Amino acid sequence: MKILLIEDEISTAEFIVDGLKKENFAVFHIPNGLDGLFEACNNYYDIFIIDVMLPDIDGITIIKKIREKNIQTPVIILSAKNSTEDIVSGLRAGSDDYISKPFSFIELLARIKGILRRMNLNFSTSTILSEGNLKIDCLKKKVFRDNKEIILQAKEFSLLEYLLKNKGIVVTKQMIIDNVWNFDFDPETNIVEAKISKLRNKIDKNFKNKLIHTIKGLGYILEDKF
Ligand code: CA
């Protein structure tokens, strides 16, 4: 797995490169926009990680130019501003995900793994996901527990599908918002909690072993603990 990192802040770059190397990624780092753009257009990478604020040309321009050349490599933007405008223009320019500085390495790794999973899913022929006696058919949008069908609303299904794709991993409320709802959603409301509660009533309430667990202060995990 080859990753190109375009980032001018050396300490941030070192932190990312060291972390990714430990996870067995091949990482190539370029500290300025123009050389980064040249590299992105002339060599194959699986993922680009691009900082927005660069000394010569900004990250958004780089993404636009890459997409103009019809290079469809997934892009994660690193944004120091943490502003919605930044994120919106990045996503409009063709980035696949964003991460606001400061961030933890675990968060970045989760984003990368999410992209890789989505890429693999595009090629995967299996559309059945399962955990314990819960089974969902992503294509037919059907849910079964103990071989009995459970009817979910569309958003409940998307939420369950996301939890199941990340089974055994804690997902934060923000990750759920980003992946199940649109990113411009107000994180202050309790819509995630409300939807989780509805989902629990449908898939967990009538069963002894619960699959959806709350991890206090962190988020949720779907796991058959028995
Ligand atoms: Ca920067």
Side-chain angles (χ1 to χ4, degrees):
M1 227 13 102
K2 272 180 77 185
I3 297 181
L4 176 65
L5 170 67
I6 307 175
E7 164 66 89
D8 61 314
E9 288 145 35
I10 299 305
S11 59
T12 308
E14 280 175 357
F15 155 77
I16 295 173
V17 170
D18 288 350
L20 289 176
K21 279 187 176 163
K22 279 183 195 138
E23 294 289 329
N24 295 319
F25 289 96
V27 201
F28 190 50
H29 167 230
I30 291 191
N32 69 77
L34 284 171
D35 291 339
L37 175 62
F38 182 84
E39 181 63 23
C41 292
N42 288 286
N43 282 300
Y44 178 79
Y45 289 90
D46 295 291
I47 295 179
F48 299 136
I49 302 174
I50 303 176
D51 184 31
V52 174
M53 305 279 274
L54 293 164
D56 44 6
I57 55 167
D58 67 276
I60 308 293
T61 308
I62 296 176
I63 297 167
K64 280 185 190 152
K65 291 201 182 290
I66 290 170
R67 293 296 185 241
E68 275 168 18
K69 287 190 183 287
N70 211 19
I71 297 167
Q72 298 304 327
T73 307
V75 177
I76 299 174
I77 326 174
L78 301 177
S79 162
K81 290 188 200 160
N82 192 13
S83 78
T84 314
E85 273 168 54
D86 231 21
I87 292 158
V88 171
S89 51
L91 292 170
R92 283 215 179 111
S95 95
D96 299 83
D97 210 341
Y98 70 92
I99 190 160
S100 301
K101 292 177 178 179
F103 55 87
S104 68
F105 182 74
I106 290 172
E107 204 182 339
L108 176 65
L109 194 60
R111 303 284 170 151
I112 292 171
K113 289 190 172 167
I115 283 183
L116 295 177
R117 236 183 342 257
R118 289 199 288 275
M119 284 162 69
N120 288 335
L121 279 174
N122 290 340
F123 298 110
S124 164
T125 50
S126 170
T127 57
I128 309 288
L129 299 173
S130 68
E131 174 72 355
N133 59 8
L134 172 73
K135 203 178 279 181
I136 74 169
D137 185 327
C138 301
L139 216 59
K140 294 180 183 160
K141 308 281 178 205
K142 282 179 181 285
V143 179
F144 300 90
R145 203 159 169 197
D146 218 2
N147 293 322
K148 286 182 202 91
E149 188 171 3
I150 297 169
I151 307 296
L152 297 185
Q153 289 174 346
K155 203 51 108 179
E156 291 164 358
F157 184 88
S158 306
L159 175 58
L160 181 62
E161 186 181 17
Y162 179 69
L163 291 171
L164 207 44
K165 279 178 184 166
N166 292 284
K167 67 179 180 183
I169 300 170
V170 178
V171 293
T172 65
K173 190 175 160 184
Q174 190 61 52
M175 286 161 78
I176 292 174
I177 291 172
D178 292 345
N179 287 281
V180 180
W181 279 271
N182 292 328
F183 61 90
D184 55 355
F185 172 88
D186 177 8
E188 294 305 309
T189 62
N190 65 353
I191 195 156
V192 174
E193 288 86 342
K195 211 47 103 180
I196 289 272
S197 155
K198 281 193 172 169
L199 195 54
R200 274 185 166 139
N201 276 336
K202 291 186 179 178
I203 74 149
D204 268 346
K205 198 180 169 187
N206 300 322
F207 295 89
K208 208 177 84 191
N209 59 327
K210 310 297 178 197
L211 297 176
I212 301 171
H213 311 277
T214 303
I215 310 295
K216 268 218 165 96
L218 281 176
Y220 303 94
I221 187 166
L222 189 147
E223 197 171 33
D224 187 8
K225 287 191 172 173
F226 285 82

